[in-house]
Amino acid sequence: ALAIEKNRLFDETRRRDAILGALAYASELLLKPGDLQDQLPDLLARLGRAADVSRVYIFENHTAPDGARLVSRRYEWTAPGIEPQIDNPRLQNIDHVAQGNARWTQTFIARQPIFGLVRDFPPLERALLEPQGIQSIILVPIFSGDLWWGYLGFDECIQERIWLGAEIEALKSAASALGAAFARQRSEAAERKQRELTE
């Protein structure tokens, strides 16, 4: 039992350190001038390899013409041999509330992550996740300032995985760095628009 606990703590520390190392690089990358969209593929790849997962992605919130809150997958990295889902139409224009999955929206607005083994999730959620081959998942909300911008997701498709506390905190830090970068991008866009109007 002592050896098992020692191995668990070692794995937790190793994964946390790898994620924090990728996050340090990401923070530096996100502070550089330029289009954030050009930097995200490299960032997601580094996070995916550091977390040792099958797939990493970003969902962005947007509003439907009728005012409903929708989310769509915008960016994705997949490990070798893992089927990409970026072009999956079921992952575009999702209305979680209308689909009976309000739990995700409520949890994210409360700034909390959703994680666990997919087999333990409610049936409606499993119906969305299982066709993608996901066995374990963690979803972390991204806040841009006080605005809930979307969420960062990590899938494990090879085997079931228990997400450790240190990993979860490191992944939350990654989502915070992304939120700060999106806020900066939004501020820069507003400044450019103001300059154009002034000119």
Side-chain angles (χ1 to χ4, degrees):
L2 185 61
I4 290 171
E5 179 63 13
K6 186 176 179 181
N7 284 338
R8 186 191 69 78
L9 290 172
F10 175 77
D11 284 344
E12 182 173 7
T13 302
R14 180 182 57 82
R15 287 178 182 166
R16 182 206 61 201
D17 290 347
I19 295 168
L20 290 176
L23 180 58
Y25 168 83
S27 298
E28 182 179 335
L29 183 69
L30 294 173
L31 288 173
K32 290 181 178 178
D35 191 347
L36 186 56
Q37 294 185 7
D38 296 335
Q39 300 162 347
L40 286 174
D42 184 35
L43 168 58
L44 293 184
R46 284 178 178 263
L47 284 174
R49 288 191 289 266
D52 192 22
V53 293
S54 302
R55 196 182 289 125
V56 183
Y57 45 85
I58 295 174
F59 274 84
E60 181 181 4
N61 292 335
H62 53 102
T63 305
D66 64 0
R69 175 184 282 144
L70 306 177
V71 295
S72 294
R73 182 168 292 191
R74 301 296 194 206
Y75 311 96
E76 179 186 78
W77 169 85
T78 55
I82 301 298
E83 183 180 359
Q85 296 292 320
I86 191 69
D87 295 323
N88 184 343
R90 293 191 67 201
L91 302 179
Q92 302 298 321
N93 302 312
I94 302 172
D95 185 338
H96 285 308
V97 175
Q99 292 180 1
N101 187 16
R103 177 176 86 98
W104 287 20
T105 299
Q106 294 164 355
T107 303
F108 293 146
I109 289 174
R111 297 177 179 258
Q112 296 300 312
I114 292 173
F115 59 93
L117 306 178
V118 170
R119 62 180 166 86
D120 295 332
F121 279 45
L124 282 174
E125 297 175 18
R126 292 202 314 270
L128 176 65
L129 302 174
E130 288 174 346
Q132 301 173 55
I134 306 170
Q135 296 196 43
S136 299
I137 191 170
I138 178 168
L139 305 167
V140 185
I142 298 172
F143 276 80
S144 180
D146 292 329
L147 173 70
W148 174 41
W149 188 92
Y151 54 92
L152 176 65
F154 296 79
D155 296 344
E156 179 51 68
C157 301
I158 304 301
Q159 60 188 356
E160 291 188 339
R161 172 173 171 175
I162 303 299
W163 302 98
L164 305 174
E167 288 180 298
I168 295 169
E169 291 306 312
L171 297 178
K172 287 166 69 175
S173 295
S176 295
L178 281 168
F182 291 132
R184 177 180 59 82
Q185 186 180 49
R186 192 171 71 243
S187 175
E188 290 173 354
E191 288 175 6
R192 282 195 304 270
K193 185 175 181 180
Q194 185 59 45
R195 282 198 303 270
E196 291 169 1
L197 288 171
T198 302
E199 290 170 2

